Amino acid sequence: MSLYSAETRRLVKRRFTRYFTLGAVVVLAAIAVAMFVTNQQIGPAQVADAKAHAHADYQRSVGEAADFKKRCEAAKGTPDASQFPPSCDDLGAPTEDNFDPQWYLPATFDFKKKFPDLVTTLAALLSVVGFVIGASFVGAEWSSGGMANLLLWRPQRLRVLGTKLLAFLVGLTGLTVLLSAAWTGIFALVARYRGTSASMTTGAWKSLAIMEARGLALVVVAGAVGFGLASLGRHTAMALGVAIGVAIVFQFGLGTALALAKVKFAEAYLAPLWIEAWMKQKFVVEDYDACNFSGTNGCQPDTFTITWHMAGSALLAAFVVIVGAALWTIRRRDIT
């Protein structure tokens, strides 16, 4: 059996890999079921019901307005007059245009509008899965002594670690592609029976496919970073500790410090916005402390746009630095 086949088999056979992946699938299934249950397909019956509710609310509001005006007239010359406007004639009645039937329609699943957010949700969840499984896959080998034993009969350090990483990333890619296809198909069915996908043109499908490809890249980078950190620290806890530290210190702590220091575009230093920029092509950070006055638009805040090119460069840098460091250190450090 080749080294790649052995590592692939090891990855698939690990109970942690199976159970953690199963947990993610259960979460995704719960989201899909919730979206199916809480949405409805809009038809003539729903439109008629919404119009009836809008008209009923309009009539009720007209009655309440008339009653309030009568109480205003009756209160003139009494201590209660202070509770009403000086002139009761200023009290107007609502018009039926104030009650749009669209507000009374039930929630419906518009595939083009809502599915991109669900693609981001899938990518985020699978990134966590990839990070943790990647860290565990190599971290358990180091902490249990399995890596040292493996290198006894395969004393090629870079080849062993590189093959283990390759097997993991290929498996993670396959899992992501499979779940992405299932995710798309499930919500296409949700749109068919609980909403609409009528606005999905060929261009919209291409844009969606590109977004899912960016999600795949995010998952692969997250998995490689988890793998690399655990290899550097020779323990799964190393990767998890770094992740927790980054979240607490560099995200919440840094965000609070920058906000207190009134740093311009403080939000631009937070990783989640860069991930969102990567998935949605851009993210605009606004500085409301600055005002660019316009005679037509009034006060406009300064803006800073995080583009997908910038976010992609950051992901690539993280991949190269951490994986490169892991490969370099296995050449230099003792294995014991």
Side-chain angles (χ1 to χ4, degrees):
M1 180 181 293
S2 68
L3 179 60
Y4 176 81
S5 298
E7 291 301 331
T8 300
R9 180 180 176 84
R10 194 194 312 274
L11 173 66
V12 174
K13 292 294 184 180
R14 295 186 73 235
R15 285 180 293 178
F16 183 83
T17 300
R18 293 181 176 182
Y19 293 152
F20 205 76
T21 302
L22 179 60
V25 171
V26 170
V27 172
L28 293 174
I31 294 173
V33 170
M35 293 298 292
F36 185 86
V37 171
T38 57
N39 285 277
Q40 296 183 36
Q41 196 168 44
I42 304 299
Q46 287 74 22
V47 173
D49 187 62
K51 290 181 178 178
H53 278 85
H55 185 68
D57 279 357
Y58 161 68
Q59 290 182 320
R60 182 168 53 252
S61 296
V62 169
E64 290 174 352
D67 181 65
F68 188 76
K69 190 170 184 178
K70 289 179 182 178
R71 287 162 45 202
C72 177
E73 295 286 355
K76 288 182 178 179
T78 68
D80 294 336
S82 59
Q83 301 178 14
F84 300 93
S87 174
C88 297
D89 293 333
D90 294 336
L91 297 174
T95 64
E96 195 159 8
D97 293 340
N98 298 136
F99 298 85
D100 190 345
Q102 294 288 333
W103 302 342
Y104 298 84
L105 290 172
T108 188
F109 186 78
D110 188 323
F111 191 88
K112 185 176 183 180
K113 292 181 179 178
K114 295 185 177 180
F115 189 65
D117 288 335
L118 292 167
V119 173
T120 301
T121 299
L122 176 67
L125 180 60
L126 292 183
S127 293
V128 173
V129 171
F131 183 92
V132 175
I133 291 179
S136 174
F137 182 47
V138 69
E141 291 290 303
W142 279 115
S143 59
S144 66
M147 181 67 78
N149 292 332
L150 178 60
L151 289 173
L152 287 176
W153 65 278
R154 285 292 182 110
Q156 299 166 307
R157 299 184 179 192
L158 284 178
R159 183 180 177 187
V160 168
L161 188 63
T163 302
K164 186 179 288 289
L165 175 61
L166 177 62
F168 165 64
L169 292 183
V170 170
L172 182 61
T173 299
L175 175 66
T176 303
V177 170
L178 178 63
L179 289 179
S180 295
W183 195 242
T184 304
I186 287 171
F187 282 100
L189 290 175
V190 172
R192 179 177 180 180
Y193 294 104
R194 295 285 181 164
T196 179
S197 58
S199 57
M200 290 298 295
T201 62
T202 302
W205 281 111
K206 288 181 179 178
S207 178
L208 183 61
I210 293 172
M211 186 178 186
E212 290 184 332
R214 288 198 296 267
L216 172 61
L218 178 64
V219 174
V220 169
V221 170
V225 167
F227 183 98
L229 289 174
S231 183
L232 285 170
R234 299 189 177 186
H235 204 288
T236 305
M238 168 66 176
L240 300 182
V242 170
I244 295 172
V246 168
I248 295 176
V249 177
F250 289 98
Q251 291 303 116
F252 296 108
L254 179 63
T256 302
L258 293 175
L260 291 174
K262 295 184 178 180
V263 174
K264 193 171 185 178
F265 305 125
E267 293 178 332
Y269 294 88
L270 305 183
L273 301 189
W274 287 74
I275 294 175
E276 187 167 355
W278 169 249
M279 292 299 299
K280 297 183 178 180
Q281 299 190 42
K282 68 177 181 179
F283 187 91
V284 179
V285 184
E286 298 181 335
D287 179 20
Y288 289 97
D289 292 331
C291 176
N292 297 316
F293 185 79
S294 168
T296 56
N297 298 320
C299 183
Q300 298 295 314
D302 285 342
T303 60
F304 173 73
T305 302
I306 305 173
T307 66
W308 71 271
H309 301 87
M310 297 163 61
S313 298
L315 288 175
L316 180 61
F319 179 90
V320 171
V321 170
I322 295 176
V323 173
L327 294 173
W328 183 82
T329 54
I330 198 174
R331 293 184 57 192
R332 309 291 296 180
R333 294 168 60 183
D334 292 335
I335 300 302
T336 55

